[in-house]
Every structure is written in C-alpha cells, then in structure tokens.
Amino acid sequence: MNSSRPVTIKDIARRFRCSPSTVSRALNDHPAINEDTRKNIQEYAKEVGYQRNEVSLSLLNKKTATLGVVVPTIGNYYETAVIEGLHTILQPLGYTLNICVTNENYLLEKEYLSKLLSNRTEGIFLSVSQETYDAGYYEHLESVIQRKTPLIFIDREYEDFETSRATVDDYHGAFAAVEHLLTIGYKNVAHLKGPNGLTVSEQRFKGYRDCLKKYDIPIREELIINTNFKVESAIVPTKRLLDLDSPPDAIFGVNDQVAIGAMRVILDRGLKIPGDVGIVGFDNSPISAYTYPSLTTVHRPGRKIGMEASRLFLNQLNGSGDFVHENIVLPTELIIRESSLRIS
Amino acid sequence: MNSSRPVTIKDIARRFRCSPSTVSRALNDHPAINEDTRKNIQEYAKEVGYQRNEVSLSLLNKKTATLGVVVPTIGNYYETAVIEGLHTILQPLGYTLNICVTNENYLLEKEYLSKLLSNRTEGIFLSVSQETYDAGYYEHLESVIQRKTPLIFIDREYEDFETSRATVDDYHGAFAAVEHLLTIGYKNVAHLKGPNGLTVSEQRFKGYRDCLKKYDIPIREELIINTNFKVESAIVPTKRLLDLDSPPDAIFGVNDQVAIGAMRVILDRGLKIPGDVGIVGFDNSPISAYTYPSLTTVHRPGRKIGMEASRLFLNQLNGSGDFVHENIVLPTELIIRESSLRIS
DNA sequence: AAAATTTTTTCAAACGTTTGCATACATTAT
DNA sequence: ATAATGTATGCAAACGTTTGAAAAAATTTT
C-alpha cells in the first residue's frame, strides 16, 4: 500500500537533486531554465502525475478563482438558466462556481456566506432566501460588505443595500400579462400570488394590481391567493377561486408551475381553457410550450440575467474604490399561447 | 480608502504585542491561555471581523472539506433531487459541495476533474457526460484513481471501472412500465429512447425489449426512436410514430419530459389519452402529477440516490486500503395515473 | 589567463495558521 | 533561600508554491 500523498514539487526536486525553485520554474516554462532540465522535469512530472497544489497557490497569491453562487433552490428552470448564464461568462475566465443551495433557509444562507468568505471566495452572487427576506435579517451580509468582496444580488434583493443587482422587470411583465387578458375580453382576473415579502412576488403582484387599476377594475381581495411557487400549492387556492359565488374568468399565476396546477384543477371541473377560463403563467419554462393547452407565459431571461450579473461582477472587480453600483433590469416578453386565446 | 486586506492573526498579535500562537490559541479556546488574554483577543477579533483563512488551514492540514459533484446538467428534477440528497447527508458533516455542470461536454468534465484534484477536493461524485460516454474516454479518470480520491459514480457509470456506484434500477423500472401497459391491453408499445450509449437509456431500453420478449411480442424497430431527454426532442419522433401504417397504441418515454412532449402531439391529433394511446414516463417529476391527463410514470428516487452515494463516500473514506467497492442499486416504483388507464 | 558576460541554479522569504517543545515567570513546598 | 511545581507565552517548523536577488557555473571576450 503506497500511501497516496500527492507528489509535490519538493519530491521532484529531491529526485533531480535540485532545488524546488528550479522545478517550479521548469514546470512553468520559465526562460532561465536549461532546456534539458526543463524537459526532464516536465516528463517526470507527467509520469508521476504531478498536479500543482492550488491551495498553496491560493494562499500565496490571495487569489482563489472561486465565486460563490448562493441561491434558494435549483429546482426550477429559471435558476438553472441563471447558473448557465453565469457559467457561460465566468468559466472561460477561469473561475470556478461554488453553487450553494439554501433551501430558503436563513441559517444555511448565513453559514454558506461565512464559509465562502473564510475560503476567500472572490465574489458572491446572492439570491436571498425567503426566510432571510421574511425576517429582514441582513447582518450576515455585513461581513461580506466589510471585506469588500464583490456582492451581486440576483432577482431577490434588499432594497436598502448598496450593491450591484441584476433583476428581471417583473412588474412590467406581470402588467403585460394581465393587460393581455383584459384586452381580449376577460373581466375577472385572479392572481395566484407568490410568498409574501419576496421581491418577485410583490413586483408581479403590483403589476397585476396596477394593471387592474389602469382599466378601472376594482381589486377583489378574494381573487388574490398565496402559493409557494410549487405546482401543488396551486391546487387548493384554485379550487377556492372556482368555488366563489362570482368566480374569475382568468387566472394570472406567479409562475408556470402554479399556472399548470391551476389548469389542472380547472380542466378537472369540466371547464374549458381558454373558453371558460384564461390562464397566464410566468417564466416561459420549457414545459410551458407543451402542456395541453399550451401556456401563455412571460419569458424571464434567466440566462441573460446570469450573463449580466457576471458583467456586473467583472465591472466591480476592475472598478476603482469609488465604484458606483449598477442596477440592471432586463425586460420580459409576453409569449402568447393557447391558454389565453379566447375563441370569441 | 482603507485597503480591505482581511485581518489576520498576525495583525491581532501586533495589536496585543503578543505572538501569533497566543492569538491562535486564544481564538481556539486553548486551556493554557490566560482568561483575560483570551477574552480581550476574542472580543477584538469579533470587533474587527476576523475570519480565519481556511485556505491556509487546508494547506496545513491537507484537508479541504470540499467535495466535487460533477453532473451533465442540473436542468431536470432528478439531478436536483440527487444534489439535495447529497446535501442532506454531507452538509451537516461540514462538507461543502462544489457543483460542476459539464453540459454533457467531455472537455469541460475533464477540466473540472483536474481542477477539483488541484484544489484537493476530498471526494468526487460523478455522473459522466454523454460525450465522455460516447467517446469512451476515461483517461481523465485515471488521475482521480491514481490519487486515490474517493470517486462515486452516480447513475451513468463506466461498466469497467473499479469504483463505488449508486444507481437506480432502470431496467426493472422500464420493465414494469411496459408490463403495466401490456397487461391492461395495449398491444403495440413504442419507445422514445434516450441517447445511445448512456447507461440510463440502454437499461431502460433493455427493460422495454425484454418485457416485450417475455410477452412474445416481436420488436418492431420502427417503434423505437431516439430523443435527447428534452421535451422538444419528442415532437418529431412522436409524429413519425403516429404516421406509421400501423401506429403504436402506447408509448413508453425514456423520461417524463419526453412523455409530455409525446402527449401533446397525440392530443393535437385529436387522439384520446389513454383511450387511443397509453403513455408512461419515467422520473416522477413533480409536474407529472398535474399534466392533463396526469402521467403514469416510474418513480426514480433521486434524493435517496444522493443519500446512498454519500454513504458510499463515507464508507470509502473510513475504509481500509483493501476497501471493496460497493454497488448500490435502488428500486423504482411504478406510479399509475391517468395516462395509462384504459377505459375498456 | 584574467576579466567580463551570459546562463543556470539556489537561497530565502512570503502567504496564514497550528502545535510540540522550550522558556519565562509566578507560586508553592521544602 | 532553594527547589519544585504550575501557568502563560514564545519559538520555530510545517503545509506547497512562487519569485526577486544572490550565487554559482559556464561561456565569451579581452
């Protein structure tokens, strides 16, 4: 059993009866190294499977080439699209993404941030957890700020925090969705809302509300019911909506999952979509184009958000001390499909 | 502009005119430190936001408490469930998961593995990319083996590799799915297959094939068409199936996405599900319970796979040199829903 | 052959932390 | 007063690598 301690530069130096510096230089193609020495050392290194210890280099250079991505979940299409976008830009620059999933849990988020800092992560992309938002905690961010580690908020942000942000224009996306329903003749639009407090939920809700206002339609509180973004969480609320004395003739879901859940309940009642009830979702997840009926939805550019967030990070990194934080808001796009095509 | 170099133990030592050792001991509650000294130092450390540099510790202890999770994608429910399972077991033990997405790309997979080794990751969970599988490359794994870094295969494995594995019993899952279709009266079962070469694809295909054999049904090559797991990739193949002179009366999709795509095409043709065509998917993704009609599927225990894989890793870590690799195969479960309930 | 130049190699410090051992100081027992 | 004990701190090495400066070796020029 040869213990498998990784081969170090010192081991190689011993083997060639030279100093570690020589080995280091030989491996890095330093010009001031004899051609033969270089060749021999490189060959031997390859042979014994030498791999340089990046940990020691990190310590020396105070650079880890690692970035933290802290998100509440990776269960939805959107988050994975964001990660893909980050990846697209940052991987080629040599960065490793350390993806941390908080499960909407404040304590975990705090722990991850602390760990990322301890590991000298060079930047953090953060989409705060629901618990964090609910409780209004933010002390755990202080240390990130204090250490001047670039911090980029994704989507869910603290409004009173001085950092760069990349967000989707949820407000206008929601507005457009509801306006679309109203203009083709739906009168009573319900909203399956996201969890209270989260920016995405609230912005979409505002878009819904303001659009109704614009068309002089009174807000009916009973048409607004909370969900938790998951498909299951739409079932009971939709039933409640349909059981109302004056049920809605259209539903705007906070995301596609919820909209799909709602569709199911509606179809089960023998109602027609879009004939009896119109449906609009949010996200433009791949599945939304293939449900039956296909789902009208608001495209949310996750990949672009990831790429923009990367750009924000890079700007902040290269920026001077008095760097002004940027706030990117990407537009959404209404994708009209069958679930809202009223055959009048 | 105070440069934000992180506070070190040396800085604190200078401040208290003592040695770094004392500070280190004070911060770690070493008994041989004067109570006052300890208190003062700890207070000051907190005040200036000291956070110990884990990089230096990693170098010293040759421990990084980091594990690599290398997967082809995180876009599907299953993968995220696996990650959740890994997380559930390993996070409480202090491990950080470094999630690397290869996008089914061999070069990226290779680069990630090399980087993980360079960063002295203590273990690697690997689900090999399609390209890797296709090409039959495996040199990039040699260095992992050589360094004796625990390597756990998840689902997609090289059959000729000496490592621990956690896989789902795709074969029997597929078999059960097809048997279900046959026993309730479907005669011509088509299969929307996954990409060639991948274990999951091939095992499910084998289950399909062997089940037909068991029931003395001849294999019709034209009823087996490839997809790439994505919902879009099922559209054209399904159309082709329906256009056959003798079209299938049931379709077994390699996963839920593909099955959902197929359903859409079938419904668009005015055919009834399950009346005219029965459908079964694979994965039991959350959405499958809420499609219209709901989808019969094979439950794939992603979370459990993650937890079992963690266990395999821990066993290997604590195991002696002559550790025997384990091979865990978890059973699947057929979930019968509407899409295969023939109303005869 | 000595001096000047070029080429190649080594030395030593640095990154931040921990830890066994030595040392200094204070206290108690002789 | 001296020796023995106990308490608190410092020294130095170690982890693996890079790099400026010094040194050594080889080569060229005078």
Side-chain angles (χ1 to χ4, degrees):
Chain A
M1 278 303 316
N2 63 334
S3 118
S4 63
R5 185 177 61 82
V7 179
T8 74
I9 235 172
K10 286 185 186 173
D11 298 329
I12 301 180
R14 238 187 318 274
R15 159 75 173 65
F16 283 92
R17 293 211 180 84
C18 69
S19 75
S21 345
T22 305
V23 177
S24 170
R25 291 200 170 94
L27 292 173
N28 293 319
D29 290 324
H30 192 283
I33 286 290
N34 183 282
E35 185 61 16
D36 287 343
T37 325
R38 192 186 61 80
K39 216 177 249 171
N40 288 334
I41 289 181
Q42 286 191 355
E43 262 169 25
Y44 180 75
K46 188 154 202 177
E47 191 188 318
V48 296
Y50 169 78
Q51 250 174 329
R52 95 155 163 282
N53 186 333
E54 293 289 345
V55 177
S56 76
L57 253 198
S58 293
L59 181 58
L60 186 61
N61 299 333
K62 297 158 177 261
K63 293 244 163 111
T64 54
T66 300
L67 302 175
V69 181
V70 182
V71 288
T73 156
I74 51 170
N76 300 309
Y77 170 70
Y78 178 73
E79 285 93 10
T80 61
V82 171
I83 292 174
E84 198 198 320
L86 290 169
H87 195 270
T88 302
I89 302 290
L90 298 168
Q91 204 273 337
L93 297 176
Y95 287 105
T96 296
L97 299 184
N98 205 328
I99 297 159
C100 309
V101 185
T102 64
N103 277 319
E104 305 283 9
N105 180 314
Y106 169 72
L107 246 57
L108 210 47
E109 177 175 312
K110 180 175 167 162
E111 194 176 328
Y112 271 129
L113 286 178
S114 155
K115 219 166 197 169
L116 286 171
L117 287 183
S118 277
N119 287 326
R120 300 305 188 252
T121 299
E122 294 180 37
I124 295 175
F125 297 93
L126 173 63
S127 178
V128 302
S129 77
Q130 195 177 321
E131 270 186 35
T132 306
Y133 209 105
D134 286 353
Y137 293 137
Y138 58 93
E139 308 95 51
H140 62 318
L141 298 182
E142 290 294 356
S143 49
V144 183
I145 307 283
Q146 189 180 1
R147 273 267 285 289
K148 308 210 173 161
T149 300
L151 175 63
I152 316 290
F153 276 105
I154 292 184
D155 281 342
R156 311 184 181 180
E157 89 275 18
Y158 284 120
E159 295 186 348
D160 49 341
F161 240 94
E162 257 298 311
T163 48
S164 292
R165 302 168 197 167
T167 55
V168 169
D169 190 349
D170 288 300
Y171 176 81
H172 288 103
F175 197 102
V178 176
E179 188 158 43
H180 161 67
L181 287 169
L182 294 177
T183 53
I184 58 176
Y186 293 104
K187 306 274 182 227
N188 297 295
V189 182
H191 179 39
L192 291 175
K193 188 172 172 290
N196 291 340
L198 284 181
T199 315
V200 270
S201 307
E202 300 303 343
Q203 288 300 310
R204 289 174 198 175
F205 170 61
K206 264 192 209 162
Y208 162 81
R209 199 194 53 194
D210 290 1
C211 184
L212 291 189
K213 263 188 203 154
K214 175 177 168 191
Y215 287 84
D216 280 327
I217 298 173
I219 310 283
R220 290 171 52 196
E221 288 296 337
E222 71 272 25
L223 292 188
I224 300 159
I225 310 189
N226 277 65
T227 69
N228 71 356
F229 292 134
K230 292 191 184 158
V231 57
E232 311 92 84
S233 74
I235 305 306
V236 173
T238 308
K239 284 180 181 162
R240 247 170 61 206
L241 287 175
L242 297 180
D243 287 340
L244 286 174
D245 289 336
S246 157
D249 61 357
I251 298 180
F252 167 49
V254 70
N255 68 2
D256 288 346
Q257 300 285 312
V258 162
I260 289 170
M263 287 212 295
R264 174 71 216 208
V265 173
I266 292 163
L267 294 173
D268 277 346
R269 292 277 176 112
L271 297 170
K272 296 266 176 279
I273 299 173
D276 298 318
V277 187
I279 305 279
V280 181
F282 208 114
D283 270 4
N284 191 25
S285 53
I287 206 81
S288 65
Y290 299 96
T291 52
Y292 194 82
S294 61
L295 184 62
T296 294
T297 186
V298 180
H299 177 65
R300 202 177 165 202
R303 224 183 104 84
K304 266 195 199 157
I305 283 285
M307 295 173 74
E308 284 296 324
S310 307
R311 213 176 48 68
L312 292 182
F313 162 71
L314 294 170
N315 284 356
Q316 191 160 341
L317 200 65
N318 302 326
S320 56
D322 53 354
F323 171 74
V324 184
H325 295 284
E326 296 175 69
N327 203 341
I328 295 284
V329 181
L330 293 185
T332 57
E333 189 192 347
L334 183 67
I335 313 275
I336 299 176
R337 298 208 186 94
E338 296 162 351
S339 68
S340 67
L341 284 186
R342 185 168 230 170
I343 323 130
S344 39
Chain B
M1 276 302 317
N2 64 334
S3 118
S4 64
R5 186 177 61 80
V7 178
T8 73
I9 235 173
K10 287 183 186 174
D11 298 329
I12 301 180
R14 237 187 319 274
R15 160 73 172 67
F16 284 91
R17 293 213 180 81
C18 68
S19 76
S21 345
T22 304
V23 177
S24 171
R25 291 197 174 98
L27 292 174
N28 293 318
D29 289 326
H30 192 284
I33 286 291
N34 182 284
E35 184 62 16
D36 287 343
T37 325
R38 192 186 60 80
K39 216 178 247 170
N40 287 334
I41 290 181
Q42 286 191 355
E43 260 169 26
Y44 180 75
K46 189 154 200 178
E47 190 188 320
V48 296
Y50 169 79
Q51 250 173 329
R52 94 151 162 278
N53 186 333
E54 294 289 344
V55 177
S56 76
L57 252 198
S58 292
L59 181 59
L60 186 61
N61 298 335
K62 298 157 176 261
K63 293 246 164 105
T64 54
T66 300
L67 301 175
V69 181
V70 183
V71 289
T73 155
I74 51 170
N76 300 310
Y77 170 70
Y78 178 72
E79 285 93 11
T80 60
V82 171
I83 292 173
E84 198 199 320
L86 290 169
H87 195 270
T88 303
I89 302 290
L90 298 167
Q91 204 271 337
L93 297 175
Y95 287 105
T96 296
L97 299 183
N98 204 328
I99 296 159
C100 309
V101 184
T102 64
N103 277 318
E104 305 283 7
N105 180 315
Y106 168 72
L107 247 56
L108 209 48
E109 178 175 312
K110 180 174 169 162
E111 194 177 326
Y112 272 129
L113 286 178
S114 155
K115 216 163 198 172
L116 287 171
L117 287 183
S118 278
N119 287 326
R120 300 305 189 254
T121 299
E122 295 180 38
I124 294 176
F125 298 93
L126 173 64
S127 177
V128 302
S129 77
Q130 195 177 320
E131 270 187 35
T132 306
Y133 209 106
D134 286 352
Y137 294 135
Y138 58 92
E139 309 95 52
H140 63 316
L141 298 182
E142 289 295 355
S143 49
V144 184
I145 307 282
Q146 190 179 359
R147 273 267 286 288
K148 309 210 172 161
T149 300
L151 175 64
I152 317 289
F153 276 104
I154 291 184
D155 281 342
R156 311 184 181 180
E157 89 275 19
Y158 286 121
E159 295 186 348
D160 50 340
F161 240 93
E162 256 298 310
T163 48
S164 291
R165 302 169 197 166
T167 55
V168 169
D169 190 348
D170 288 301
Y171 175 83
H172 288 103
F175 196 103
V178 177
E179 188 159 42
H180 162 67
L181 287 169
L182 294 177
T183 53
I184 58 176
Y186 293 104
K187 305 275 184 228
N188 296 295
V189 181
H191 179 38
L192 292 175
K193 188 172 172 290
N196 290 339
L198 285 182
T199 316
V200 270
S201 308
E202 301 302 344
Q203 288 300 309
R204 288 175 198 176
F205 170 61
K206 263 191 209 163
Y208 162 82
R209 201 192 52 194
D210 290 1
C211 184
L212 292 187
K213 263 188 202 154
K214 176 178 168 190
Y215 286 84
D216 281 326
I217 298 173
I219 309 285
R220 290 171 53 195
E221 288 297 337
E222 71 272 23
L223 291 189
I224 300 159
I225 310 189
N226 278 66
T227 68
N228 71 356
F229 292 135
K230 292 188 184 162
V231 57
E232 312 91 83
S233 73
I235 306 305
V236 174
T238 307
K239 285 181 181 163
R240 247 170 63 206
L241 287 175
L242 297 180
D243 288 338
L244 287 173
D245 290 337
S246 158
D249 61 356
I251 298 179
F252 167 48
V254 69
N255 67 2
D256 288 346
Q257 301 285 312
V258 162
I260 289 170
M263 287 212 296
R264 175 70 217 209
V265 174
I266 292 164
L267 294 174
D268 277 345
R269 293 276 176 113
L271 297 169
K272 296 267 176 280
I273 301 173
D276 299 316
V277 188
I279 304 278
V280 181
F282 207 114
D283 269 7
N284 191 26
S285 53
I287 206 82
S288 65
Y290 297 97
T291 53
Y292 194 81
S294 61
L295 184 64
T296 294
T297 187
V298 180
H299 177 65
R300 202 177 166 203
R303 224 182 102 85
K304 265 195 199 157
I305 283 285
M307 294 173 73
E308 284 297 323
S310 307
R311 213 177 46 72
L312 292 182
F313 162 72
L314 295 170
N315 284 356
Q316 192 159 340
L317 200 66
N318 303 326
S320 56
D322 53 354
F323 170 74
V324 184
H325 294 284
E326 296 176 69
N327 202 342
I328 295 282
V329 180
L330 292 186
T332 57
E333 189 192 347
L334 182 67
I335 312 275
I336 299 175
R337 298 209 186 93
E338 295 163 350
S339 67
S340 68
L341 283 186
R342 186 166 229 171
I343 324 129
S344 39

